[in-house]
Amino acid sequence: METSARRMGAGAGQMKWVDVNAVATGALRASTALLHPLDPHAIVATKHGLVNVYDWENRTQVGQWSIGPPAGRYSEAVDISALHLINPLGQAKLLVGTADGMVRIFASHAPDFELAAGASVVAFPRPRLLTAFMSLPWVSPLVTAPVSGVPASTVTSNQRMRALQQQQQLVLPLQSYANGDLGESCGLATAWNQRSGVLFAGGNDKEIRIWDITAEMCIEEITVAPLGGVTCVSHDGVSGNIFATGSTAGVVRVMDRRMDARTSPVANWREHAPSSIRNVVMRPGHMEVVSAAANGEVKYWDLRHREPMYTLDGTHTGQSLRHMLAHEHAPVTLTASEATVKLWNQRGNNIGVVT
C-alpha cells in the first residue's frame, strides 16, 4: 500500500487536476479548512466562530456548530485561524485556534446525531469542549470602554493601550504591535506535531511558544522574528525539533530547538522581503522548505543551500496571494487568491485551476 501511495504521489505532479469532486457553499466566508485523513470529511471554519463539516464523498453536511460565545460579544475572539486533528488515526479530537490566541480542544469534529421524528431542520450537536487555554498571553479579550478614534465594539485592550499612549504620551510596552499599524495583526499561527504532542504557536510578539498539550504547559519560548510578527509556522513532521517560520517583514527562518536561541537559525532567507510571508511548509522527512509571499512569489528551498532551488513568479497576476499549501508527499503546490485557486508542480507548470 505504501509503495502504491508513493507511486501515486510521484505521478501527481504530471497529471492535470481538473475534476471537482464536490462543492459546498455557505453564507459566511471560510477562514481555514482541514481534511480528515481517514473519513471523507472536510472541516471548514469561518471568521465568525462557526465550524462546518462536510462529507465530500456523499456531498452532504454532517456537522455545524459554534466554538464559543455568541457572535458580537467577543467578535475578534471567535475568528478561527487554525484547525488541527489530534490523534487523527484513532479517537480524533479537534484543536481550534482563534485570532485572539485562544486554543480550544473538542472531543470530536462531528458528533453522531439522530434526526428527531418529524423534524424538517437538522440541529447538529456541538462536541464537548475538553479544555481551553491562552497560547499567546499578549492578547486580551475585547473591551467596550470607548477610546477616541477607535470604535468601542471592535477595540481590544492592546489597541486601547496603544490609543491611550498616543493620546496621553504614556510609555507602555506594546511589542505585539511592532508592525506600526494599530489595526494590523498576525493573529494566531500554529503547527501541530502529533509525534511529540506539542503545539507551535506564534503571532505579533515575534516569539514561538511551544506547548505540551497534555500538560497544557508552555515548555519553550524562542524568539524567531527580529522584524515583524510571525505569520506562519511549520515543522519537520518527524521529531518537531526543526521548524520554520515566516514573518510580516518577508523573512523565512528555520530554527533548531536543540540549539541555543541566539545561534539556532539553520537558515535565514530574506529573498521575499519586503512582501509578507503567507505560508511556509516543511515537507516531512525531506530537506525541502516551500515559502510563499503576498506578491505571488513561491520559492522552493533546500536547507543545505542559501539560494532558492526554484522560484515560481506571478502565480496570481494582478491579485494578492492569500495562501499557499504544499503537499507533504506529492510534488504539488496550491496557491490561492481572493478569486482563484491554482495547482502547480515543481517545474513551475500550472496543472489545475479552480475559480
Side-chain angles (χ1 to χ4, degrees):
M1 181 181 296
E2 182 179 357
T3 303
S4 176
R6 289 181 181 275
R7 190 182 305 115
M8 292 176 64
Q14 307 300 322
M15 59 187 290
K16 284 289 184 179
W17 294 60
V18 294
D19 295 329
V20 178
N21 189 280
V23 177
T25 59
L28 301 175
R29 178 180 296 183
S31 60
T32 186
L34 178 67
L35 289 176
H36 195 286
L38 297 180
D39 298 333
H41 288 173
I43 308 168
V44 183
T46 74
K47 288 193 174 183
H48 296 277
L50 198 65
V51 176
N52 297 282
V53 184
Y54 301 96
D55 185 326
W56 53 263
E57 194 171 66
N58 296 314
R59 303 183 183 184
T60 58
Q61 186 168 4
V62 295
Q64 184 183 70
W65 44 275
S66 175
I67 65 169
R73 182 181 177 190
Y74 298 118
S75 58
E76 184 182 63
V78 294
D79 288 358
I80 299 176
S81 57
L83 294 172
H84 301 286
L85 284 169
I86 298 175
N87 192 26
L89 303 183
Q91 298 279 335
K93 297 167 178 59
L94 183 66
L95 184 152
V96 180
T98 51
D100 64 342
M102 182 67 74
V103 170
R104 298 171 175 85
I105 299 178
F106 294 89
S108 67
H109 64 283
D112 295 331
F113 69 95
E114 293 184 2
L115 185 63
S120 58
V121 179
V122 178
F124 297 106
R126 181 178 185 266
R128 183 165 56 95
L129 177 65
L130 300 178
T131 186
F133 60 92
M134 182 64 74
S135 64
L136 302 177
W138 46 263
V139 178
S140 302
L142 298 185
V143 296
T144 56
V147 174
S148 177
V150 183
S153 60
T154 59
V155 64
T156 65
S157 59
N158 283 337
Q159 289 176 327
R160 176 175 167 77
M161 286 194 299
R162 179 60 176 271
L164 290 174
Q165 182 187 26
Q166 292 175 342
Q167 293 170 17
Q168 303 176 14
Q169 296 183 347
L170 298 176
V171 179
L172 296 173
L174 293 165
Q175 59 179 355
S176 61
Y177 282 88
N179 298 330
D181 184 352
L182 182 63
E184 186 176 356
S185 173
C186 296
L188 174 65
T190 62
W192 164 250
N193 184 269
Q194 176 65 37
R195 180 168 296 188
S196 60
V198 300
L199 178 74
F200 296 79
N204 286 346
D205 64 349
K206 308 179 183 182
E207 290 184 337
I208 288 292
R209 287 178 170 83
I210 302 175
W211 289 84
D212 182 328
I213 292 299
T214 303
E216 296 183 30
M217 179 183 297
C218 180
I219 56 177
E220 286 184 73
E221 293 185 8
I222 303 174
T223 301
V224 297
L227 298 174
V230 177
T231 59
C232 49
V233 58
S234 179
H235 58 75
D236 58 16
V238 185
S239 64
N241 286 325
I242 299 176
F243 65 96
T245 64
S247 74
T248 55
V251 179
V252 176
R253 302 191 87 187
V254 181
M255 313 287 286
D256 191 330
R257 294 171 55 195
R258 297 164 295 187
M259 300 173 63
D260 184 272
R262 292 168 296 181
T263 59
S264 63
V266 176
N268 192 38
W269 298 310
R270 300 174 180 270
E271 278 75 1
H272 283 297
S275 186
S276 178
I277 304 298
R278 293 304 193 202
N279 200 20
V280 58
V281 178
M282 295 190 73
R283 298 186 65 199
H286 297 269
M287 302 292 286
E288 299 175 13
V289 178
V290 185
S291 62
N295 62 5
E297 280 189 351
V298 178
K299 294 183 181 291
Y300 298 84
W301 308 87
D302 188 311
L303 291 178
R304 296 163 292 189
H305 303 285
R306 294 185 177 181
E307 301 296 326
M309 296 186 296
Y310 181 79
T311 299
L312 185 60
D313 292 313
T315 54
H316 295 270
T317 305
Q319 301 178 45
S320 174
L321 187 143
R322 303 297 298 173
H323 198 53
M324 178 276 296
L325 290 173
H327 198 283
E328 291 184 352
H329 306 291
V332 176
T333 302
L334 177 148
T335 61
S337 66
E338 286 287 350
T340 309
V341 174
K342 297 182 179 181
L343 292 102
W344 312 82
N345 61 21
Q346 288 187 315
R347 295 182 179 179
N349 299 319
N350 183 210
I351 56 176
V353 177
V354 179
T355 56

